Every structure is written in structure tokens, then in C-alpha cells.
């Protein structure tokens, strides 16, 4: 299923005042004893953010918002983004896509630590297509500009577009992990729609998902570089030296529908506390390992 098809299906359910069918199915598959309601079924999904033709693509897990809260806040989210759900499904979809493309401008005055963290990670990636303002990140005003640019000038995809407070993968069964493969197909369809320079999967979950492909009786995706240990580095977690912590990544090559591209799994990207200069160092490490990789 392409990204546009998934957007139409999901928004079509909301337009008809129905729960999002794909989210309901995923919930039924991925319920755990500690989480019986993993993903939002009535909230506004986040399929992508930014420039769909960008040179750089980052793939995240999903929007990190409580599922029940997201369900209750559909109307306020529509109002926030100026999205008209009442006129027609066509208008609803058009407004939604406009809001996702232009989210960086819509949200430009709000400081967001996660987006600054993303900009710091990408700053060492040469020719990534993002304009980093002079003085970034030391100048506070430059951080707001960098946040807008990183949202507008890259493509961010979510493996699951439905909100949840926690995306826990430890207790997921093989059957549940296989349920994410159709969502991975959607992400890869969008990535391979045109040539990309950098493709980065921002969680260790993607290693588990790529490894699971071969056990899901699915042969449409071939991933090279999964053998052996991930690449590791030790970085000082405190300025001036002291405590060191290990961070990981894995460069890979993906072949999908006859097309091939290099990519990278940034295992440590979501770690809390990985920010500031430490995040920039981690980004530099990941870019270096990506550059060294020969399938």
C-alpha cells in the first residue's frame, strides 16, 4: 500500500466517523498484558512530515502521544492545522497533506527539544539538504530556525502513524512483529518513489523488524548488512570527560521492488539524554559508519 493510499484509507475512516480500521487491527494484534489499548484509533494520524521529495529521510516509530488523549483531541487538532473534515473527503485529504508538508512553518515559533536533537544529529551528514543557520546550535535563535528547517527540508516518516505514549517492543510476539510489515512496505514505497541520499531508521526496533522479515514468509524486502554485531562507539556523557556510554548503529542496504539504497539503523537515536554536543557526536559517528559500508 502506498503512502497516499494509506492516507486515503485512514482519513476516509475518520471522515465517515469510524475508527481507523488499520489501527484497530494493529491493536488487536499487539495487545499485551500491560497495554490493552496501544494505538490511537480516532485521533489524527501522522503519516509524514516535511518534503516528500527530500534527499534525507528519517523513519521514526510513531507519534509519541497518549492514545486516548489523541482520540479525544481530534477536533482540536483539526482546528490547530486548519483542516476541514466536513466539506468533503477530498478537501479533508488535501488540507491534511498541506498541513503535514508545512508543519515546520505552522509550528515555527515553538521550541521543540526533539526537533533540535534531530537537527544536531543531521548536522554532520554532508549535503543532507538541510540549511543549518549560522551560529547553530550555540545561538538560541538559531535553534528555532534550525527546527523549522529540519522539519521542512527533510522527510520524516512514521512506521506506525497512530499515536501511543509508549512503543514497547520487548513483549511483542513474532505474529505481532509481522503485523508491522505492511506498514514497512508503505514506508519503503515512499522512500523508493525517488532517489534519496540518506535513509535513516531511528530505533533499534527496526533491526528487530528487518530480522523478522525472513520469518514472516515475506520475500519482497532484502536487507544486507544484518550479519554480525552493530557498530559501536564510546562517548563521554558529561562535558570534560568522565562517564562513558556505548552507542550503536548499523549501516545496511535495502533492496525493494528491484531498487536498492544504502541506509542506516540508528539504534541509540531515541535514548533520553542523548542531546546537545553528544547527539552531534553520535550523528558524526553514524555518518562515518554509513560512509564506510560496502555491501
Amino acid at each position: 500500500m502506498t503512502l497516499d493510499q494509506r492516507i486515503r484509507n485512514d482519513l476516509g475512516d475518520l471522515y465517515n466517523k469510524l475508527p481507523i480500521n488499520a489501527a484497530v487491527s494493529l491493536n488487536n494484534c499487539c495487545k499485551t498484558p500491560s497495554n490493552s489499548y496501544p494505538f490511537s484509533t480516532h485521533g489524527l494520524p501522522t503519516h509524514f512530515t516535511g518534503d516528500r521529495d527530500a534527499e534525507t529521510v528519517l523513519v521514526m516509530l510513531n507519534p509519541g502521544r497518549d492514545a486516548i488523549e489523541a482520540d479525544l483531541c481530534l477536533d482540536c487538532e483539526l482546528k490547530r492545522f486548519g483542516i476541514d473534515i466536513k466539506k468533503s473527503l477530498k478537501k479533508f485529504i488535501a488540507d491534511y497533506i498541506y498541513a503535514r508538508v508545512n508543519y515546520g512553518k505552522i509550528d515555527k515559533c515553538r521550541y521543540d527539544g526533539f526537533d533540535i536533537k534531530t537537527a544536531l544529529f543531521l548536522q554532520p551528514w554532508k549535503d543532507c539538504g538541510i540549511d543549518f543557520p549560522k551560529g547553530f546550535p550555540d545561538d538560541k535563535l538559531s535553534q528555532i530556525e534550525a527546527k523549522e528547517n529540519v522539519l521542512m527540508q527533510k522527510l520524516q516518516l512514521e512506521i506506525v502513524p497512530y499515536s501511543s505514549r509508549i512503543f514497547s517492543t520487548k513483549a511483542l510476539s513474532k505474529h505481532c512483529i509481522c503485523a508491522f510489515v505492511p506498514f514497512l512496505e508503505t514506508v519503503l514505497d515512499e522512500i523508493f518513489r525517488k532517489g534519496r541520499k540518506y535513509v535513516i531508521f531511528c530505533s533499534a526496533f527496526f533491526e528487530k523488524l528487518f530480522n523478522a522479515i525472513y520469518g514472516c514468509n515475506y520475500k519482497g524486502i532484502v536487507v544486507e548488512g544484518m550479519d554480525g554485531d552493530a557498530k559501536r562507539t564510546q562517548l563521554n556523557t558529561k562535558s570534560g570527560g568522565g562517564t562513558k556510554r556505548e552507542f550503536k548503529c548499523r549501516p545496511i542496504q535495502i533492496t525493494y521492488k528491484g531498487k536498492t539504497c544504502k541506509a542506516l539503523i540508528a539504534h541509540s537515536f531515541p535514548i533520553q539524554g542523548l542531546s546537545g554536543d553528544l547527539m552531534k557526536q553520535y550523528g558524526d559517528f553514524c555518518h562515518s559508519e554509513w560512509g564506510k559500508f560496502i555491501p
Side-chain angles (χ1 to χ4, degrees), residues 207 211 214 223-231 250-252 293:
E207 178 150 327
N211 278 324
Y214 301 104
V223 184
E224 298 174 74
M226 298 299 294
D227 297 332
D229 294 334
K231 305 300 182 180
R250 181 186 294 277
I252 57 175
F293 178 64

Side-chain angles (χ1 to χ4, degrees), residues 177-225:
I177 292 176
C178 290
F180 291 96
V181 172
F183 294 91
L184 178 60
E185 282 190 287
T186 297
V187 164
L188 293 180
D189 270 322
E190 184 66 12
I191 290 171
F192 281 91
R193 185 176 54 77
K194 68 177 298 294
R196 312 286 184 176
K197 188 173 182 66
Y198 299 124
V199 176
I200 306 161
F201 294 86
C202 299
S203 169
F205 170 72
F206 292 104
E207 178 150 327
K208 182 181 289 189
L209 181 56
F210 286 130
N211 278 324
I213 287 171
Y214 301 104
C216 298
N217 296 319
Y218 185 82
K219 299 179 181 179
I221 304 169
V222 177
V223 184
E224 298 174 74

Side-chain angles (χ1 to χ4, degrees), residues 67-87:
I68 296 175
E69 178 186 314
D71 285 354
L72 294 174
C73 290
L74 175 61
D75 288 342
C76 61
E77 285 292 282
L78 294 173
K79 183 176 181 181
R80 177 190 176 198
F81 293 115
I83 297 173
D84 185 355
I85 194 175
K86 297 180 179 179
K87 189 172 183 180

Side-chain angles (χ1 to χ4, degrees), residues 3-284:
L3 181 61
D4 287 314
Q5 289 169 335
R6 191 169 292 281
I7 290 171
R8 182 174 181 83
N9 286 354
D10 292 349
L11 297 192
D13 289 337
L14 292 179
Y15 178 76
N16 290 307
K17 299 182 179 180
L18 299 170
I20 298 173
N21 182 64
V24 171
S25 297
L26 200 58
N27 280 348
N28 290 337
C29 181
C30 294
K31 288 179 181 177
T32 66
S34 61
N35 192 0
S36 60
Y37 188 61
F39 299 107
S40 167
T41 57
H42 292 82
L44 191 67
T46 302
H47 296 89
F48 76 97
T49 303
D51 180 2
R52 291 179 65 179
D53 291 331
E55 289 287 304
T56 297
V57 182
L58 267 61
V59 186
M60 305 293 180
L61 292 178
N62 76 317
R65 185 180 190 183
D66 181 76
I68 296 175
E69 178 186 314
D71 285 354
L72 294 174
C73 290
L74 175 61
D75 288 342
C76 61
E77 285 292 282
L78 294 173
K79 183 176 181 181
R80 177 190 176 198
F81 293 115
I83 297 173
D84 185 355
I85 194 175
K86 297 180 179 179
K87 189 172 183 180
S88 68
L89 176 57
K90 183 178 180 181
K91 173 68 171 169
F92 180 24
I93 293 172
D95 285 356
Y96 171 84
I97 291 175
Y98 179 87
R100 296 318 314 164
V101 169
N102 292 283
Y103 179 73
K105 289 182 178 179
I106 294 169
D107 196 55
K108 68 178 181 179
C109 293
R110 184 181 65 88
Y111 180 90
D112 187 284
F114 180 83
D115 295 322
I116 301 300
K117 170 178 172 173
T118 303
L120 286 163
F121 175 82
L122 288 174
Q123 194 173 17
W125 291 70
K126 185 178 179 181
D127 299 326
C128 66
I130 296 167
D131 296 323
F132 296 100
K134 185 178 179 180
F136 176 75
D138 298 326
D139 177 27
K140 294 294 183 181
L141 289 177
S142 76
Q143 294 182 15
I144 297 296
E145 184 180 348
K147 176 216 166 192
E148 179 181 350
N149 290 350
V150 82
L151 286 168
M152 295 292 295
Q153 295 171 351
K154 77 171 190 321
L155 172 61
Q156 181 170 313
L157 298 168
E158 312 286 337
I159 189 70
V160 174
Y162 321 119
S163 295
S164 68
R165 177 63 64 191
I166 298 172
F167 195 117
S168 178
T169 63
K170 293 181 180 179
L172 295 182
S173 66
K174 173 185 170 183
H175 175 64
C176 180
I177 292 176
C178 290
F180 291 96
V181 172
F183 294 91
L184 178 60
E185 282 190 287
T186 297
V187 164
L188 293 180
D189 270 322
E190 184 66 12
I191 290 171
F192 281 91
R193 185 176 54 77
K194 68 177 298 294
R196 312 286 184 176
K197 188 173 182 66
Y198 299 124
V199 176
I200 306 161
F201 294 86
C202 299
S203 169
F205 170 72
F206 292 104
E207 178 150 327
K208 182 181 289 189
L209 181 56
F210 286 130
N211 278 324
I213 287 171
Y214 301 104
C216 298
N217 296 319
Y218 185 82
K219 299 179 181 179
I221 304 169
V222 177
V223 184
E224 298 174 74
M226 298 299 294
D227 297 332
D229 294 334
K231 305 300 182 180
R232 290 171 163 82
T233 188
Q234 297 281 337
L235 298 176
N236 288 320
T237 57
K238 294 182 180 180
S239 60
T243 305
K244 286 192 174 184
R245 185 170 179 178
E246 183 176 83
F247 299 94
K248 299 195 299 182
C249 73
R250 181 186 294 277
I252 57 175
Q253 179 170 279
I254 304 172
T255 300
Y256 180 69
K257 294 185 176 179
K259 297 180 180 179
T260 299
C261 78
K262 283 176 62 174
L264 181 124
I265 301 172
H267 300 68
S268 305
F269 185 94
I271 291 176
Q272 291 186 354
L274 183 54
S275 58
D277 186 62
L278 190 63
M279 182 49 124
K280 188 174 179 180
Q281 290 180 59
Y282 177 62
D284 188 41

